[in-house]
Amino acid sequence: MSKKIIIAIDGYSSCGKSTLAKQLAKDLYYIYADSGAMYRAITLYFLRNEVPHTNISQVKKALGNIHLEFVFDVDAGKSILYLNDENIELNIRDMVISEKVSEVATIKEVREFAVAEQQRMGIHKGIVMDGRDIGTTVFPHAELKIFMTADIAIRVERRFKELFAVNPAITIEEVKQNLEMRDYIDSNREISPLRKAEDAVILDNSNLTMAQQLKIALQWAKEKTDLA
Ligand code: DC
């Protein structure tokens, strides 16, 4: 049997990172971890408990009360994130969270907390993790690093379709502004900004189907596992 590797997928918001990561994990029998969901869960906790982002001692205290766990749901065929034993999968996709999450993800203590959890999850390899700093900070030695991009118009359309299905009041303009704002904050923050790792391969999926991008990524994974 070939050795297990770590696959790190980074890129801008709504590039289809989680779709690809989930499919790769399924095909390779690997664990899938959505690091963005962790930042979203922390944001949800901060909003619910009115934690002021600028008060570092309160931020630290709040982080001490947060327990995050991914649990595989056999019926859903995917991992669900639990925040202090509560399934918060639906709550964290809300626009209210999308509007605040990038700001929360700039806080040093929040990043240290999330990165430590993420590194723990990768100890035994055999994991696909997607996010913004996975190939650069979380797993700088990942065997396969993929940096995903897609045209902004295509990303807006994809995200709009997803959000419209649960909230018909949403507008294209709102979605576009949110993606642009998050891309800006994520790329310009001081700690672990979104960057392509030097040894990452670029996957521009603007004109690729899901099946095509999966085929490409599986081939890359095969090449790396053969070497591992
Ligand atoms: O992948 P996502 O859109 O659910 O991520 C939500 C936000 O979390 C994203 O705008 C920035 C932050 N994030 C991060 O800073 N680092 C990561 N590894 C993943 C997400």
Short mmCIF file of all heavy atoms in Angstrom, two decimals, residues 128-168:
data_model
loop_
_atom_site.label_atom_id
_atom_site.label_comp_id
_atom_site.label_asym_id
_atom_site.label_seq_id
_atom_site.Cartn_x
_atom_site.Cartn_y
_atom_site.Cartn_z
N VAL A 128 -6.64 15.83 3.70
CA VAL A 128 -6.75 16.92 2.73
C VAL A 128 -7.31 18.10 3.51
O VAL A 128 -8.39 17.98 4.09
CB VAL A 128 -7.72 16.59 1.57
CG1 VAL A 128 -7.67 17.69 0.51
CG2 VAL A 128 -7.43 15.23 0.95
N MET A 129 -6.59 19.19 3.56
CA MET A 129 -7.09 20.37 4.28
C MET A 129 -7.10 21.56 3.33
O MET A 129 -6.15 21.77 2.58
CB MET A 129 -6.20 20.68 5.48
CG MET A 129 -6.80 21.74 6.39
SD MET A 129 -5.79 22.04 7.87
CE MET A 129 -6.14 20.60 8.85
N ASP A 130 -8.21 22.31 3.37
CA ASP A 130 -8.25 23.51 2.52
C ASP A 130 -8.36 24.76 3.38
O ASP A 130 -8.84 24.72 4.51
CB ASP A 130 -9.39 23.42 1.49
CG ASP A 130 -10.76 23.58 2.12
OD1 ASP A 130 -10.96 23.04 3.22
OD2 ASP A 130 -11.62 24.24 1.52
N GLY A 131 -7.84 25.87 2.82
CA GLY A 131 -7.87 27.14 3.55
C GLY A 131 -7.10 28.23 2.84
O GLY A 131 -7.18 28.35 1.61
N ARG A 132 -6.37 29.03 3.63
CA ARG A 132 -5.63 30.15 3.05
C ARG A 132 -4.13 30.07 3.33
O ARG A 132 -3.33 30.66 2.61
CB ARG A 132 -6.13 31.49 3.63
CG ARG A 132 -7.63 31.73 3.53
CD ARG A 132 -8.05 31.88 2.08
NE ARG A 132 -9.44 32.30 1.95
CZ ARG A 132 -10.51 31.56 2.22
NH1 ARG A 132 -10.37 30.34 2.67
NH2 ARG A 132 -11.74 32.03 2.03
N ASP A 133 -3.78 29.35 4.42
CA ASP A 133 -2.36 29.30 4.84
C ASP A 133 -1.91 27.87 5.08
O ASP A 133 -1.02 27.62 5.88
CB ASP A 133 -2.19 30.12 6.13
CG ASP A 133 -3.03 29.56 7.28
OD1 ASP A 133 -3.99 28.81 6.99
OD2 ASP A 133 -2.72 29.85 8.44
N ILE A 134 -2.56 26.93 4.44
CA ILE A 134 -2.27 25.51 4.75
C ILE A 134 -0.90 25.11 4.21
O ILE A 134 -0.09 24.52 4.92
CB ILE A 134 -3.39 24.58 4.21
CG1 ILE A 134 -4.77 25.10 4.63
CG2 ILE A 134 -3.18 23.14 4.70
CD1 ILE A 134 -4.97 25.29 6.11
N GLY A 135 -0.62 25.48 2.97
CA GLY A 135 0.68 25.11 2.38
C GLY A 135 1.83 25.98 2.89
O GLY A 135 3.00 25.60 2.79
N THR A 136 1.51 27.16 3.43
CA THR A 136 2.57 28.08 3.86
C THR A 136 2.87 27.96 5.36
O THR A 136 4.01 27.97 5.78
CB THR A 136 2.18 29.54 3.56
OG1 THR A 136 0.86 29.76 4.09
CG2 THR A 136 2.20 29.84 2.07
N THR A 137 1.82 27.84 6.19
CA THR A 137 2.01 27.89 7.65
C THR A 137 1.62 26.60 8.36
O THR A 137 2.37 26.12 9.21
CB THR A 137 1.15 29.05 8.24
OG1 THR A 137 1.55 30.25 7.60
CG2 THR A 137 1.33 29.17 9.74
N VAL A 138 0.47 26.05 8.02
CA VAL A 138 -0.02 24.88 8.78
C VAL A 138 0.83 23.65 8.44
O VAL A 138 1.35 22.98 9.33
CB VAL A 138 -1.52 24.63 8.51
CG1 VAL A 138 -2.01 23.42 9.30
CG2 VAL A 138 -2.36 25.85 8.86
N PHE A 139 0.94 23.36 7.14
CA PHE A 139 1.74 22.20 6.72
C PHE A 139 2.76 22.63 5.66
O PHE A 139 2.62 22.31 4.47
CB PHE A 139 0.83 21.11 6.13
CG PHE A 139 -0.17 20.55 7.09
CD1 PHE A 139 -1.53 20.51 6.76
CD2 PHE A 139 0.21 20.04 8.33
CE1 PHE A 139 -2.47 19.99 7.64
CE2 PHE A 139 -0.74 19.52 9.22
CZ PHE A 139 -2.07 19.49 8.87
N PRO A 140 3.82 23.35 6.10
CA PRO A 140 4.81 23.80 5.11
C PRO A 140 5.52 22.63 4.43
O PRO A 140 6.12 22.81 3.37
CB PRO A 140 5.78 24.67 5.93
CG PRO A 140 5.50 24.36 7.35
CD PRO A 140 4.13 23.82 7.46
N HIS A 141 5.44 21.42 5.04
CA HIS A 141 6.10 20.26 4.43
C HIS A 141 5.11 19.32 3.74
O HIS A 141 5.44 18.16 3.49
CB HIS A 141 6.90 19.49 5.49
CG HIS A 141 7.92 20.35 6.16
ND1 HIS A 141 8.96 20.95 5.47
CD2 HIS A 141 8.02 20.78 7.44
CE1 HIS A 141 9.66 21.68 6.31
NE2 HIS A 141 9.11 21.61 7.51
N ALA A 142 3.91 19.81 3.49
CA ALA A 142 2.92 18.96 2.79
C ALA A 142 3.52 18.47 1.48
O ALA A 142 4.19 19.23 0.76
CB ALA A 142 1.65 19.77 2.53
N GLU A 143 3.26 17.20 1.16
CA GLU A 143 3.83 16.63 -0.06
C GLU A 143 3.19 17.24 -1.30
O GLU A 143 3.84 17.43 -2.32
CB GLU A 143 3.62 15.11 -0.08
CG GLU A 143 4.47 14.33 0.91
CD GLU A 143 3.87 14.29 2.32
OE1 GLU A 143 2.86 14.96 2.58
OE2 GLU A 143 4.45 13.56 3.16
N LEU A 144 1.88 17.52 -1.22
CA LEU A 144 1.20 18.12 -2.38
C LEU A 144 0.51 19.42 -1.95
O LEU A 144 -0.28 19.43 -1.00
CB LEU A 144 0.16 17.15 -2.97
CG LEU A 144 -0.71 17.72 -4.12
CD1 LEU A 144 0.15 18.17 -5.31
CD2 LEU A 144 -1.74 16.69 -4.58
N LYS A 145 0.87 20.50 -2.62
CA LYS A 145 0.23 21.80 -2.33
C LYS A 145 -0.44 22.30 -3.61
O LYS A 145 0.22 22.38 -4.66
CB LYS A 145 1.28 22.82 -1.89
CG LYS A 145 2.02 22.42 -0.64
CD LYS A 145 3.05 23.47 -0.26
CE LYS A 145 3.87 23.01 0.93
NZ LYS A 145 4.92 23.98 1.28
N ILE A 146 -1.71 22.60 -3.51
CA ILE A 146 -2.45 23.08 -4.67
C ILE A 146 -2.93 24.50 -4.36
O ILE A 146 -3.50 24.75 -3.30
CB ILE A 146 -3.66 22.17 -4.97
CG1 ILE A 146 -3.20 20.73 -5.22
CG2 ILE A 146 -4.45 22.70 -6.17
CD1 ILE A 146 -4.34 19.73 -5.44
N PHE A 147 -2.68 25.42 -5.29
CA PHE A 147 -3.18 26.79 -5.13
C PHE A 147 -4.26 27.00 -6.19
O PHE A 147 -3.99 26.97 -7.38
CB PHE A 147 -2.06 27.81 -5.30
CG PHE A 147 -2.48 29.20 -4.92
CD1 PHE A 147 -2.44 29.62 -3.60
CD2 PHE A 147 -2.95 30.09 -5.88
CE1 PHE A 147 -2.86 30.90 -3.23
CE2 PHE A 147 -3.37 31.37 -5.53
CZ PHE A 147 -3.33 31.77 -4.20
N MET A 148 -5.51 27.17 -5.70
CA MET A 148 -6.63 27.26 -6.65
C MET A 148 -7.01 28.70 -6.96
O MET A 148 -7.03 29.55 -6.08
CB MET A 148 -7.85 26.52 -6.09
CG MET A 148 -7.63 25.01 -6.13
SD MET A 148 -9.01 24.07 -5.51
CE MET A 148 -10.23 24.34 -6.77
N THR A 149 -7.32 28.93 -8.21
CA THR A 149 -7.83 30.25 -8.62
C THR A 149 -8.97 30.04 -9.62
O THR A 149 -9.11 28.96 -10.20
CB THR A 149 -6.76 31.12 -9.33
OG1 THR A 149 -6.42 30.49 -10.56
CG2 THR A 149 -5.52 31.31 -8.51
N ALA A 150 -9.77 31.10 -9.78
CA ALA A 150 -10.82 31.11 -10.81
C ALA A 150 -11.20 32.57 -11.01
O ALA A 150 -11.01 33.40 -10.11
CB ALA A 150 -12.03 30.30 -10.35
N ASP A 151 -11.73 32.88 -12.18
CA ASP A 151 -12.15 34.27 -12.47
C ASP A 151 -13.14 34.74 -11.41
O ASP A 151 -14.03 33.97 -11.01
CB ASP A 151 -12.86 34.35 -13.83
CG ASP A 151 -11.88 34.13 -14.97
OD1 ASP A 151 -10.67 34.17 -14.71
OD2 ASP A 151 -12.36 33.90 -16.09
N ILE A 152 -13.05 36.01 -11.05
CA ILE A 152 -13.93 36.54 -10.00
C ILE A 152 -15.41 36.41 -10.41
O ILE A 152 -16.24 36.03 -9.60
CB ILE A 152 -13.55 37.99 -9.58
CG1 ILE A 152 -14.51 38.55 -8.53
CG2 ILE A 152 -13.46 38.94 -10.74
CD1 ILE A 152 -14.24 38.14 -7.13
N ALA A 153 -15.72 36.67 -11.69
CA ALA A 153 -17.13 36.60 -12.12
C ALA A 153 -17.68 35.18 -11.93
O ALA A 153 -18.82 35.00 -11.49
CB ALA A 153 -17.25 37.03 -13.57
N ILE A 154 -16.85 34.21 -12.22
CA ILE A 154 -17.28 32.82 -12.07
C ILE A 154 -17.45 32.46 -10.60
O ILE A 154 -18.40 31.80 -10.19
CB ILE A 154 -16.26 31.88 -12.78
CG1 ILE A 154 -16.35 32.11 -14.28
CG2 ILE A 154 -16.47 30.42 -12.41
CD1 ILE A 154 -15.34 31.38 -15.10
N ARG A 155 -16.53 32.96 -9.78
CA ARG A 155 -16.62 32.68 -8.34
C ARG A 155 -17.88 33.29 -7.75
O ARG A 155 -18.56 32.65 -6.95
CB ARG A 155 -15.38 33.23 -7.62
CG ARG A 155 -14.11 32.51 -8.02
CD ARG A 155 -13.02 32.77 -7.04
NE ARG A 155 -12.35 34.03 -7.26
CZ ARG A 155 -12.08 34.91 -6.31
NH1 ARG A 155 -12.46 34.70 -5.08
NH2 ARG A 155 -11.41 36.01 -6.59
N VAL A 156 -18.20 34.53 -8.16
CA VAL A 156 -19.40 35.21 -7.65
C VAL A 156 -20.65 34.41 -8.04
O VAL A 156 -21.53 34.16 -7.22
CB VAL A 156 -19.49 36.66 -8.19
CG1 VAL A 156 -20.83 37.29 -7.86
CG2 VAL A 156 -18.35 37.50 -7.62
N GLU A 157 -20.68 33.98 -9.29
CA GLU A 157 -21.85 33.25 -9.77
C GLU A 157 -22.05 31.94 -8.99
O GLU A 157 -23.15 31.63 -8.55
CB GLU A 157 -21.64 32.96 -11.25
CG GLU A 157 -22.91 32.59 -11.97
CD GLU A 157 -22.61 32.16 -13.39
OE1 GLU A 157 -21.90 32.91 -14.10
OE2 GLU A 157 -23.04 31.06 -13.77
N ARG A 158 -20.94 31.22 -8.80
CA ARG A 158 -21.03 29.94 -8.05
C ARG A 158 -21.54 30.18 -6.63
O ARG A 158 -22.41 29.47 -6.15
CB ARG A 158 -19.64 29.30 -7.96
CG ARG A 158 -19.15 28.68 -9.26
CD ARG A 158 -17.75 28.11 -9.01
NE ARG A 158 -17.11 27.67 -10.24
CZ ARG A 158 -15.80 27.56 -10.38
NH1 ARG A 158 -14.98 27.87 -9.40
NH2 ARG A 158 -15.29 27.13 -11.50
N ARG A 159 -20.95 31.16 -5.97
CA ARG A 159 -21.31 31.43 -4.57
C ARG A 159 -22.76 31.92 -4.47
O ARG A 159 -23.48 31.55 -3.55
CB ARG A 159 -20.35 32.49 -4.00
CG ARG A 159 -20.47 32.70 -2.55
CD ARG A 159 -19.58 31.72 -1.78
NE ARG A 159 -19.77 31.89 -0.35
CZ ARG A 159 -20.28 30.97 0.44
NH1 ARG A 159 -20.63 29.81 -0.04
NH2 ARG A 159 -20.43 31.19 1.72
N PHE A 160 -23.15 32.76 -5.45
CA PHE A 160 -24.52 33.29 -5.45
C PHE A 160 -25.53 32.14 -5.54
O PHE A 160 -26.51 32.10 -4.79
CB PHE A 160 -24.70 34.28 -6.62
CG PHE A 160 -26.11 34.78 -6.74
CD1 PHE A 160 -26.63 35.67 -5.82
CD2 PHE A 160 -26.93 34.34 -7.78
CE1 PHE A 160 -27.94 36.13 -5.92
CE2 PHE A 160 -28.24 34.79 -7.89
CZ PHE A 160 -28.74 35.69 -6.95
N LYS A 161 -25.25 31.21 -6.44
CA LYS A 161 -26.17 30.06 -6.60
C LYS A 161 -26.32 29.30 -5.30
O LYS A 161 -27.42 28.93 -4.90
CB LYS A 161 -25.65 29.13 -7.69
CG LYS A 161 -26.06 29.58 -9.08
CD LYS A 161 -25.72 28.51 -10.09
CE LYS A 161 -25.84 29.05 -11.50
NZ LYS A 161 -24.97 28.36 -12.44
N GLU A 162 -25.20 29.05 -4.62
CA GLU A 162 -25.23 28.31 -3.35
C GLU A 162 -26.05 29.06 -2.31
O GLU A 162 -26.90 28.49 -1.64
CB GLU A 162 -23.81 28.24 -2.77
CG GLU A 162 -23.00 27.03 -3.14
CD GLU A 162 -21.56 27.22 -2.66
OE1 GLU A 162 -21.32 27.87 -1.61
OE2 GLU A 162 -20.69 26.72 -3.36
N LEU A 163 -25.79 30.37 -2.19
CA LEU A 163 -26.45 31.16 -1.14
C LEU A 163 -27.92 31.40 -1.45
O LEU A 163 -28.77 31.39 -0.56
CB LEU A 163 -25.72 32.50 -0.93
CG LEU A 163 -24.34 32.38 -0.28
CD1 LEU A 163 -23.63 33.72 -0.28
CD2 LEU A 163 -24.47 31.87 1.16
N PHE A 164 -28.21 31.62 -2.74
CA PHE A 164 -29.59 31.90 -3.16
C PHE A 164 -30.51 30.72 -2.80
O PHE A 164 -31.67 30.91 -2.44
CB PHE A 164 -29.61 32.18 -4.66
CG PHE A 164 -30.96 32.63 -5.16
CD1 PHE A 164 -31.38 33.95 -4.96
CD2 PHE A 164 -31.80 31.76 -5.83
CE1 PHE A 164 -32.62 34.37 -5.41
CE2 PHE A 164 -33.05 32.17 -6.28
CZ PHE A 164 -33.46 33.48 -6.07
N ALA A 165 -29.97 29.52 -2.88
CA ALA A 165 -30.77 28.32 -2.58
C ALA A 165 -31.30 28.35 -1.15
O ALA A 165 -32.39 27.83 -0.87
CB ALA A 165 -29.93 27.06 -2.80
N VAL A 166 -30.54 28.95 -0.23
CA VAL A 166 -31.01 29.00 1.17
C VAL A 166 -31.55 30.38 1.55
O VAL A 166 -32.27 30.53 2.53
CB VAL A 166 -29.89 28.58 2.17
CG1 VAL A 166 -29.73 27.09 2.19
CG2 VAL A 166 -28.59 29.28 1.88
N ASN A 167 -31.18 31.41 0.77
CA ASN A 167 -31.64 32.76 1.10
C ASN A 167 -31.95 33.54 -0.19
O ASN A 167 -31.09 34.24 -0.73
CB ASN A 167 -30.54 33.48 1.91
CG ASN A 167 -30.86 34.94 2.11
OD1 ASN A 167 -32.00 35.39 1.93
ND2 ASN A 167 -29.84 35.70 2.49
N PRO A 168 -33.20 33.45 -0.69
CA PRO A 168 -33.56 34.08 -1.97
C PRO A 168 -33.49 35.61 -1.93
O PRO A 168 -33.57 36.25 -2.98
CB PRO A 168 -35.01 33.61 -2.21
CG PRO A 168 -35.22 32.48 -1.28
CD PRO A 168 -34.31 32.66 -0.13
#
